[in-house]
Amino acid sequence: MTELTGKTVLVTGAIGGIGKSVVAKLETLGAQILAVDMVPEEEAKTIFREAGLSKINYFRADLTSSQDLARLFTWASEIPLDSLVALAGIVVSGDLVNQTDEDIGRVIQTNLTSQLSLSKLCIQKWLSEGVAGQIIFVSSWVDHVPWPGITPYAASKAGLVAACRGIAREYATKGIRANLIAPGIVDVGMAAKQWREEPSYRARAGRAIPLGRLQKPEEVALGIAFLLSDSASYMTGSTLLMDGGASLYPLDPEEKI
């Protein structure tokens, strides 16, 4: 893996199950990290300290708030930022008719609209400073494969694909790139809980993953590190699909998932 020494990376959703692994891997590879999440500052510092991460700069922000986004970029104005890892996101489970309009709006606002607003501010900063920056959007294998119970989430991730490709197309001549990583079913949060506690979910998810196991958050972190490295310098508007083969399902045309 190419080292990331000299890169300054803004990571959103940095306190989440995947976020902590991403921050740890990028710091190990030499990147300077600007971590963003909604956890109070002292709590975040404790989490990073217990994880052995001593050099993390942390900013508390709700990315759906225009005021918080403005404060974030005032805070980062003097920092030579060159990369964004847009990891923050939420999911509300349930069939579409059982989800409220508020649930749907919150998922789209958090996972798509706020990511566009955040990207806009990064791009404006890079254009004014002449920086060839890069955005890594964290999508999902369900951005192109339907999975029961998370239709608004899947729609928000499909929107990220269009956003990424649009940004890549618009700003390539300025040296600004945008790529996506699409993980599979990661061993964190609700998926991990359901895998361990709900036999029906484990059976369904297990059939959907040819490799037969949940994805480790560290594996997602490795994919992000690759996209940030010089090894991926000729990639833009691309999706790195790391899903354990989940998007290949069903394995057998006669099998019902």
Side-chain angles (χ1 to χ4, degrees):
M1 177 68 67
T2 304
E3 288 193 359
L4 301 178
T5 301
K7 289 188 177 295
T8 303
V9 186
L10 176 65
V11 181
T12 68
I15 302 295
I18 298 175
K20 288 184 287 187
S21 292
V22 170
V23 167
K25 174 54 65 177
L26 300 187
E27 186 183 71
T28 297
L29 293 172
Q32 179 182 354
I33 307 299
L34 308 180
V36 179
D37 211 305
M38 295 177 65
V39 173
E41 186 171 348
E42 288 305 314
E43 182 180 344
K45 288 181 178 180
T46 299
I47 291 170
F48 288 136
R49 184 170 58 251
E50 291 176 349
L53 304 172
S54 58
K55 302 177 183 178
I56 304 298
N57 297 296
Y58 180 76
F59 189 88
R60 183 184 185 184
D62 177 355
L63 299 180
T64 66
S65 164
S66 58
Q67 292 83 3
D68 278 13
L69 282 177
R71 290 193 306 106
L72 170 60
F73 275 82
T74 298
W75 174 73
S77 62
E78 301 302 321
I79 302 172
L81 177 69
D82 53 57
S83 304
L84 165 66
V85 175
L87 177 58
I90 62 171
V91 61
V92 176
S93 297
D95 291 347
L96 182 60
V97 296
N98 294 322
Q99 295 201 25
T100 66
D101 290 345
E102 289 73 20
D103 290 334
I104 295 169
R106 188 159 53 92
V107 168
I108 299 298
Q109 176 71 14
T110 302
N111 297 358
L112 179 57
T113 308
S114 70
Q115 306 304 329
L116 284 166
S117 298
L118 177 61
S119 299
K120 176 183 174 181
L121 290 172
C122 283
I123 293 167
Q124 287 175 330
K125 177 177 172 64
W126 293 333
L127 290 175
S128 67
E129 298 173 353
V131 173
Q134 182 187 187
I135 301 171
I136 309 299
F137 292 102
V138 180
S139 184
S140 168
W141 69 291
V142 300
D143 64 19
H144 65 291
V145 178
W147 184 254
I150 53 171
T151 293
Y153 174 82
S156 72
K157 295 300 186 179
L160 275 186
V161 176
C164 173
R165 290 174 62 81
I167 289 169
R169 186 69 169 175
E170 288 185 27
Y171 296 101
T173 59
K174 304 298 184 181
I176 294 172
R177 296 181 298 120
N179 290 295
L180 298 108
I181 183 169
I185 305 177
V186 186
D187 192 12
V188 295
M190 183 59 69
K193 178 179 174 62
Q194 289 179 297
W195 179 269
R196 288 167 175 78
E197 298 179 5
E198 299 179 21
S200 61
Y201 175 86
R202 180 162 185 157
R204 178 159 59 94
R207 289 197 303 272
I209 307 171
L211 290 186
R213 63 171 177 83
L214 297 184
Q215 185 172 22
K216 299 174 183 177
E218 294 82 7
E219 292 170 323
V220 181
L222 285 170
I224 291 172
F226 164 72
L227 289 173
L228 289 171
S229 76
D230 291 342
S231 298
S233 62
Y234 200 61
M235 293 176 64
T236 194
S238 300
T239 298
L240 179 60
L241 180 61
M242 299 181 67
D243 67 350
S247 56
L248 301 174
Y249 91 95
L251 304 181
D252 183 336
E254 302 300 318
E255 181 181 20
K256 294 182 179 181
I257 299 298

